[in-house]
Amino acid sequence: MPSDKSQYRGYEIKLRQEWSNWCANVHPTRSDLPILTQSPLLTLSLSPEEALTAAKHNIDKALGGLEQQNVA
């Protein structure tokens, strides 16, 4: 299980349990990053791992997609 706080691409992700599901709040850690105004309930998931993955996907979407990765 991920910790209740994670860092990803300059954002802090805080997981919390809502009812019987998990959701994530996302906050920028630097002033040059956009504030994501999406509801944490958009990341409502059955497990904390799924909520963390959904939050990362939302961050990637807001920042214009995934960074390019070199594959050998």
Side-chain angles (χ1 to χ4, degrees):
M1 179 174 119
S3 69
D4 63 342
K5 285 186 183 180
S6 296
Q7 295 280 325
Y8 182 71
R9 294 185 73 180
Y11 288 85
E12 180 179 72
I13 302 170
K14 294 180 184 177
L15 300 176
R16 73 172 196 265
Q17 197 163 13
E18 288 287 335
W19 308 290
S20 61
N21 294 302
W22 288 85
C23 64
N25 288 323
V26 178
H27 305 281
T29 60
R30 302 186 322 248
S31 63
D32 63 330
L33 292 171
I35 296 172
L36 303 181
T37 58
Q38 297 175 339
S39 165
L41 297 181
L42 289 177
T43 60
L44 201 59
S45 304
L46 294 176
S47 71
E49 293 85 3
E50 288 176 1
L52 183 60
T53 298
K56 288 179 178 181
H57 175 76
N58 291 342
I59 291 168
D60 288 337
K61 194 167 144 183
L63 295 179
L66 294 171
E67 293 176 353
Q68 297 255 340
Q69 297 180 8
N70 293 328
V71 178

